[in-house]
Amino acid sequence: MEVVFLNRLSKQNEHGDESFAQVWIGEHEGIWSAGWSTHHGTDESTDDLWYEGSLWQELLHVYRHELALKMAEGYRPLIHGVFHEKERTAGRGQTLQKLYCYSDLFPRDDVYEQLTMWRRQKAVAERKAPYFIATNRLLRLISVFLPHTKEELLELPGMGQGKVSQYGKELLTITTQSDRTTPFPLDWVAEKLEEEAFLSWIYKQKENQYRQELDKFSLTKMILEGISDGLSLEHIGMKADLQRKEMIEAMEQLDRDGIDMEELIRRELADVSEEEQAAIWSAYEELGDTLLKPVMLQVYGEEKAAETGLDQVYERLRLVRIRYRHQEASDLQVG
């Protein structure tokens, strides 16, 4: 095997003792491999093979995810740039990251639970998705830093003037009920937060990001292999451990990413008449493709849809919508 990348890493424990490891990428006759070696002494090491296969992109996803896990544990590289990307943010970006980090490391779960209950009630009353009211991250910031005035609320990222005007009074009713031990403005956060704790938090965020990217890559690969093998949507879903609805959601995302799903759509709609498919297409042209219910009512009506089965009807609508949106995107590119 030819080693094409090698880096040494070290980690210190609470007693100041240092341990060492190596991360490596190699290639032999078109087969890529990546792994981790932990050194236990002068000549002893434990090897952990992370990946072995022919796909460089797959290797890269696995490598980044596994390495982020190690760096979240405290390992630091001898040579920086192990993710082949910009490692650190600076300026205001880093200041915001440190606020998020501090709120994760020093949570106030009691206040956070009160805020999530408030958000849930508000979402029901306003008929909005909860994240439109406030994201989990914003509620975590509010629960930890406990602003007592509208001006202090505005110091938190994601809390603009509109949200303060709309929800500020109710939020302050919750936060002012709790004693706080830290002041505003929040300049002190950057000084109080230990650098190693911040770095480990950063790499934990990377690990989450790379895990999602790896899961998406693996699912894409599985779907494309299933299409190539002539498998049905149900059989691909069984291999991926996903329900049919989740599989169609994955197909919609893949089509948005530019991967043609037509062959699988054609197989899944083989038992749906051309007239029915044309009626669905025409309804999209007339009503738009954002909402499915108006299309369902125009094509089927409530009674016929119920007889056919609502799940089956909506599945057909979504499959045809993937094809419709793909065609719309192609027409725009040609135009």
Side-chain angles (χ1 to χ4, degrees):
M1 179 186 72
E2 179 182 356
V3 176
V4 298
F5 173 79
L6 179 69
N7 204 342
R8 194 182 193 207
L9 301 94
S10 64
K11 180 176 73 169
Q12 282 190 340
N13 62 24
E14 61 273 15
H15 304 296
D17 299 325
E18 203 166 20
S19 55
F20 298 93
Q22 286 183 330
V23 62
W24 51 268
I25 296 175
E27 186 270 340
H28 179 67
E29 295 182 352
I31 300 298
W32 292 99
S33 57
W36 176 269
S37 298
T38 305
H39 299 290
H40 303 292
T42 53
D43 297 317
E44 294 184 13
S45 64
T46 301
D47 296 329
D48 184 11
L49 183 64
W50 288 350
Y51 176 83
E52 187 172 63
S54 60
L55 300 178
W56 167 256
Q57 279 300 116
E58 187 173 23
L59 175 143
L60 197 57
H61 283 298
V62 173
Y63 162 84
R64 285 176 169 170
H65 174 249
E66 294 291 342
L67 183 57
L69 279 171
K70 294 294 185 182
M71 296 184 74
E73 294 173 5
Y75 279 99
R76 299 292 175 258
L78 178 66
I79 302 173
H80 292 283
V82 290
F83 290 110
H84 304 291
E85 60 183 32
K86 186 176 179 180
E87 290 290 328
R88 297 286 300 277
T89 56
R92 177 168 170 77
Q94 187 174 103
T95 300
L96 295 180
Q97 290 288 81
K98 288 191 173 183
L99 291 180
Y100 297 140
C101 174
Y102 186 92
S103 67
D104 283 349
L105 295 181
F106 303 98
R108 284 288 302 267
D109 291 334
D110 54 336
V111 183
Y112 182 73
E113 289 176 7
Q114 292 180 57
L115 290 169
T116 55
M117 184 179 299
W118 165 82
R119 180 182 61 179
R120 187 161 52 248
Q121 294 169 347
K122 190 60 74 174
V124 171
E126 298 185 4
R127 296 184 179 181
K128 293 180 180 177
Y131 63 85
F132 279 127
I133 307 294
T135 63
N136 290 342
R137 175 151 277 176
L138 176 56
L139 293 189
R140 185 69 68 187
L141 289 171
I142 296 171
S143 69
V144 169
F145 295 114
L146 294 172
H148 284 184
T149 67
K150 291 184 177 181
E151 290 72 25
E152 290 176 350
L153 270 173
L154 285 169
E155 288 194 41
L156 301 178
M159 197 72 209
Q161 187 62 59
K163 284 190 184 296
V164 170
S165 299
Q166 192 170 7
Y167 304 123
K169 185 177 179 180
E170 296 175 53
L171 290 170
L172 294 176
T173 299
I174 297 173
T175 59
T176 52
Q177 291 176 357
S178 300
D179 295 331
R180 71 181 188 191
T181 58
T182 56
F184 278 78
L186 302 176
D187 304 341
W188 54 269
V189 173
E191 296 180 6
K192 184 171 182 179
L193 198 61
E194 294 182 3
E195 185 65 14
E196 275 303 306
F198 177 57
L199 279 175
S200 292
W201 179 85
I202 285 287
Y203 291 122
K204 181 61 179 176
Q205 309 314 300
K206 285 182 177 290
E207 186 269 320
N208 291 333
Q209 172 194 341
Y210 294 144
R211 185 184 66 248
Q212 292 173 8
E213 292 177 359
L214 176 59
D215 289 344
K216 181 180 178 181
F217 181 89
S218 299
L219 179 58
T220 300
K221 179 185 174 186
M222 195 174 298
I223 291 175
L224 294 180
E225 288 176 348
I227 293 173
S228 178
D229 293 339
L231 298 181
S232 67
L233 183 69
E234 184 174 357
H235 283 105
I236 298 173
M238 290 173 62
K239 291 181 65 176
D241 195 26
L242 294 176
Q243 301 294 324
R244 288 182 67 88
K245 183 178 180 181
E246 295 172 312
M247 281 296 302
I248 294 177
E249 289 173 355
M251 290 172 62
E252 290 173 328
Q253 182 59 57
L254 289 177
D255 187 74
R256 286 193 291 269
D257 292 342
I259 300 174
D260 192 353
M261 293 285 103
E262 176 57 30
E263 185 175 347
L264 185 54
I265 293 172
R266 178 178 51 78
R267 287 205 296 264
E268 292 302 312
L269 293 177
D271 295 330
V272 181
S273 69
E274 292 293 333
E275 293 78 12
E276 185 176 335
Q277 294 185 47
I280 296 171
W281 190 284
S282 296
Y284 283 134
E285 290 179 325
E286 180 181 343
L287 303 172
D289 62 9
T290 303
L291 300 175
L292 291 175
K293 187 171 183 178
V295 175
M296 180 271 289
L297 291 175
Q298 177 161 312
V299 176
Y300 298 94
E302 289 187 356
E303 186 175 338
K304 184 179 178 182
E307 290 176 358
T308 306
L310 283 177
D311 288 343
Q312 187 175 12
V313 165
Y314 276 109
E315 182 177 300
R316 293 176 184 178
L317 295 179
R318 294 179 72 179
L319 288 170
V320 174
R321 185 170 65 176
I322 295 173
R323 180 183 283 167
Y324 177 80
R325 287 176 170 174
H326 186 83
Q327 184 61 51
E328 289 281 290
S330 298
D331 292 343
L332 285 175
Q333 291 176 358
V334 171

